[in-house]
């Protein structure tokens, strides 16, 4: 059963139960009230008869004649009946041994008169009886006159009250049917309207499950369902972002596999080709030396590639042991080896280092410095300049490596940190590069909560800044 059907069904059941119970209570209370009023009126009429009889009792005692008593009581009864004629009023006066003195009853008096049992003078008892198709209210009292007991039975036909109750129930059933039908129609639209946002969310969830991750619930209400829809959309956005991230990571991993396959295939092809050439041709010293040199160079390239890959893999799951250090001191320790790298192209290495304390793993920081300087030297022309700066930027420690080389095109800047990505493939391969240096730098920066910023301009050089100690920021790449 659908949710809107449950709402509609349970609300209709609740309405029917409450409406019917309340209506029955009102009808029964109204009937009881009217019946009680009729009983009081009947008792009052009986008391009125009794008062009239009591008023003439002294006279009857003077005469002390049974015939006279019967005549007076009959006259009193006839006068009362004439006064209340046409209202379903009946009166019976019975003397000793239940001999009837007066009666205008049009029905047979029941043989069993429970109301007469234990009846005392000046006491009135009443009882309701069904006589034929009518409901009668019997009120009975006894009066002693000249040591004789006379039983007065005043009967009121209360059938109209019960007929009225039946009529009210008949009217109520008609109203009940109409009200229930109307309520069902109203609740159908209300329940459909209330659950429509939920149906929209269900439909959106199905579409998302089928791969349409950009689908969202269109709902502007501010109630609980609106809040649920907002949270659902936020959840869908998070799911979409995660799926996009997974797809991006999957694409990156596929590119990584494709690139590493290509990078391995190229030197292996050269090694196999020259080895086969040397194996199948006559010995020639020049050709032999050329082949050995190619095999050696390609082997060194494979060695460098495997070393870089190992560093990249190890950095993925590495948890570095941080110790207090100074970036200026680390650069100073590497100065000799860095100048050796720069001397290969007669590059001027300029060090502008200030005290820059930071919490780091020294060996990893050295890897960053080495890779950035190596890339700067490779990108620079002969007798160019590479500048290394260290400084404090607020509470953050900054490492900056700038060159005056060819620069990087703006469309390449966003991708230079991907493994095997080469903005200038010819230059990179000529320098035995594999496009892994900056990827390793990014991994090390992430381990140190660092941000890498790139500013580059074609023909004027590149500046790479690593800002350490900012755990609430992601890796940032910018270009000018």
């Amino acid at each position: 059963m659908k949710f809107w059907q449950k709402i509609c069904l349970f609300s209709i059941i609740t309405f029917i139960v409450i409406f019917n119970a309340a209506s029955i209570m009102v009808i029964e209370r109204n009937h009881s009230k009217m019946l009680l009023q009729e009983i009081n009126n009947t008792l009052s009429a009986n008391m009125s008869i009794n008062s009239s009889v009591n008023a003439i009792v002294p006279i009857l005692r003077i005469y002390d004649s049974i015939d006279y008593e019967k005549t007076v009581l009959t006259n009193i009864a006839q006068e009362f009946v004439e006064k209340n004629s046409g209202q379903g009023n009946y009166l019976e006066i019975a003397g000793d041994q239940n001999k009837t003195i007066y009666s205008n009853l049009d029905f047979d008096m029941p043989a069993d008169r429970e109301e007469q049992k234990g009846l005392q003078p000046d006491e009135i008892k009443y009882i309701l009886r069904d006589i034929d198709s009518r409901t009668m209210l019997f009120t009975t009292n006894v009066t002693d006159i000249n040591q004789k007991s006379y039983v007065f039975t005043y009967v009121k036909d209360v059938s109209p009250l019960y007929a009225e109750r039946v009529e009210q129930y008949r009217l109520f059933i008609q109203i009940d049917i109409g009200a229930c039908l109307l309520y069902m129609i109203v609740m159908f639209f209300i329940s459909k309207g209330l659950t429509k946002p939920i149906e929209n969310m269900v439909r959106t969830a199905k579409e998302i499950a089928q791969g349409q991750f950009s689908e969202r619930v269109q709902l502007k209400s501010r109630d609980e369902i609106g809040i649920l829809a907002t949270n659902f959309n936020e959840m869908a956005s998070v799911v979409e972002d995660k799926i996009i991230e997974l797809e991006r990571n999957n694409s990156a991993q596929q590119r990584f596999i494709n690139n590493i396959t290509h990078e391995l295939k190229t030197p292996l092809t050269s090694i196999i080709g020259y080895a086969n050439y040397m194996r199948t041709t006559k010995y020639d010293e020049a050709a032999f030396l050329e082949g050995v040199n190619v095999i050696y160079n390609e082997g060194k390239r494979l060695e460098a590639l495997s070393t870089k890959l190992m560093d990249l893999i190890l950095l993925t799951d590495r948890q570095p042991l941080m110790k207090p250090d100074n970036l200026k001191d680390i650069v100073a320790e590497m100065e000799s080896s860095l100048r050796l790298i720069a001397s290969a192209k007669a590059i001027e290495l300029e060090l502008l280092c200030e005290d820059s304390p930071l919490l780091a793993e020294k060996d990893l920081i050295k890897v960053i410095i080495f890779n950035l300087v190596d890339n700067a030297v490779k990108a620079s022309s002969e007798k160019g300049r590479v500048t290394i700066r260290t400084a404090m930027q607020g509470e953050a420690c900054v490492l900056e490596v700038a060159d005056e080389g060819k620069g990087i095109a703006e469309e390449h800047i966003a991708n230079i940190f991907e493994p095997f990505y080469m903005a200038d493939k010819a230059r990179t391969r000529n320098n035995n590069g594999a496009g892994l240096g900056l990827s390793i730098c990014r991994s090390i920066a992430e381990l140190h909560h660092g941000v890498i910023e790139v500013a580059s301009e074609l023909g004027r050089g590149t500046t790479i800044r690593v800002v350490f100690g900012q755990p609430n920021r992601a890796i940032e790449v910018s270009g000018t």
Side-chain angles (χ1 to χ4, degrees), residues 237-450:
S237 297
V238 173
V239 171
E240 183 180 14
D241 292 341
K242 293 296 182 182
I243 294 297
I244 293 174
E245 182 180 356
L246 288 173
E247 290 177 348
R248 185 166 54 246
N249 292 339
N250 185 57
S251 298
Q253 290 176 359
Q254 187 61 45
R255 287 197 304 272
F256 182 87
I257 294 172
N258 295 339
N259 289 331
I260 194 174
T261 302
H262 179 74
E263 292 299 326
L264 290 173
K265 181 180 180 180
T266 303
L268 285 174
T269 301
S270 298
I271 292 172
I272 294 171
Y274 273 94
N276 185 58
Y277 172 76
M278 295 169 61
R279 182 176 63 88
T280 57
T281 59
K282 292 182 179 181
Y283 175 77
D284 179 77
E285 184 176 0
F288 181 80
L289 288 176
E290 181 184 359
V292 170
N293 286 332
V294 170
I295 292 173
Y296 175 78
N297 290 332
E298 295 298 326
K300 293 294 289 183
R301 183 178 174 188
L302 284 175
E303 180 185 29
L305 178 61
S306 62
T307 302
K308 295 284 187 180
L309 284 174
M310 186 60 66
D311 290 340
L312 191 60
I313 293 170
L314 291 176
L315 285 171
T316 304
D317 299 322
R318 186 167 181 177
Q319 296 296 329
L321 179 60
M322 304 290 189
K323 292 182 180 180
D325 215 318
N326 194 306
L327 194 56
K328 177 181 178 182
D329 297 338
I330 297 175
V331 174
E333 290 181 16
M334 299 179 65
E335 183 176 356
S336 299
S337 59
L338 296 177
R339 291 191 182 279
L340 181 61
I341 297 173
S343 64
K345 296 178 69 173
I347 300 293
E348 178 185 351
L349 186 64
E350 183 179 17
L351 303 181
L352 303 175
C353 298
E354 301 175 2
D355 284 332
S356 306
L358 80 163
L359 194 65
E361 185 177 289
K362 181 185 293 187
D363 292 337
L364 293 181
I365 298 298
K366 287 184 177 180
V367 172
I368 286 184
I369 297 172
F370 179 84
N371 277 290
L372 293 181
V373 173
D374 185 53
N375 285 345
V377 170
K378 291 175 180 177
S380 300
S381 302
E382 296 284 341
K383 298 181 180 181
R385 176 186 296 174
V386 173
T387 304
I388 303 175
R389 296 184 181 90
T390 63
M392 294 300 296
Q393 181 178 301
E395 296 182 356
C397 179
V398 178
L399 168 66
E400 182 177 290
V401 177
D403 64 64
E404 299 174 351
K406 296 180 179 180
I408 305 172
E410 186 174 352
E411 62 268 20
H412 294 299
I413 290 179
N415 301 317
I416 61 176
F417 292 94
E418 293 185 12
F420 299 106
Y421 187 86
M422 304 173 192
D424 188 347
K425 293 180 171 57
R427 188 198 74 200
T428 304
R429 294 190 186 281
N430 290 335
N431 292 305
N432 290 328
L436 291 172
L438 288 178
S439 181
I440 292 174
C441 290
R442 181 178 65 175
S443 298
I444 296 174
E446 289 176 345
L447 291 174
H448 289 79
H449 306 295

Side-chain angles (χ1 to χ4, degrees), residues 455-469:
S456 185
E457 186 174 350
L458 288 175
R460 303 193 64 178
T462 301
T463 300
I464 297 182
R465 301 174 74 245
V466 185
V467 184
F468 296 100

